[in-house]
Amino acid sequence: MASFNVSILFKTPPNINVGKFPLQANGKALALGDSAGFVKTIFSQETGELLGAHMVGHEVTEHIQGFAIAKYLEATDESLAQVIFPHPTLSEAMHESVLSAMQRAIHI
């Protein structure tokens, strides 16, 4: 999946929204005893296009394909915000990161 590095984007005036969600705030990560890490998403302010995602932590390789699929299907921040994520799951952190980029995070 192609992604932009946030530091590179900030060298020019960015029109982006960045959401970040710490795994410390994810119930499943806490229950597993492995809450180090985060999920970060980057969207275009103008179009809502998913520009990239970063995931660091336990079992993130099991979830990153969700963002790859979203990018391929040209999902927007709004369309991803409407997706229902099961609870309790590690994948909820993906949803929370999207909501964070939209200033609508629930659990932080």
Side-chain angles (χ1 to χ4, degrees), residues 48-69:
E49 175 188 1
L50 175 64
L51 299 175
H54 303 215
M55 299 179 79
V56 175
H58 182 71
E59 296 292 331
V60 296
T61 56
E62 297 294 324
H63 303 287
I64 192 67
Q65 85 287 350
F67 285 129
I69 292 167

Side-chain angles (χ1 to χ4, degrees), residues 23-99:
L23 292 181
Q24 296 170 341
N26 179 273
K28 178 75 176 230
L30 291 170
L32 291 171
D34 203 343
S35 61
F38 63 90
V39 177
K40 180 168 49 173
T41 48
I42 307 165
F43 295 94
S44 165
Q45 279 183 355
E46 296 170 5
T47 64
E49 175 188 1
L50 175 64
L51 299 175
H54 303 215
M55 299 179 79
V56 175
H58 182 71
E59 296 292 331
V60 296
T61 56
E62 297 294 324
H63 303 287
I64 192 67
Q65 85 287 350
F67 285 129
I69 292 167
K71 179 71 175 158
Y72 178 78
L73 295 175
E74 300 179 355
T76 64
D77 52 0
E78 193 60 49
S79 65
L80 290 171
Q82 298 302 316
V83 174
I84 297 171
F85 282 73
H87 174 78
T89 62
L90 295 172
S91 65
E92 285 179 282
M94 298 168 67
H95 191 232
E96 287 284 350
S97 180
V98 170
L99 295 175

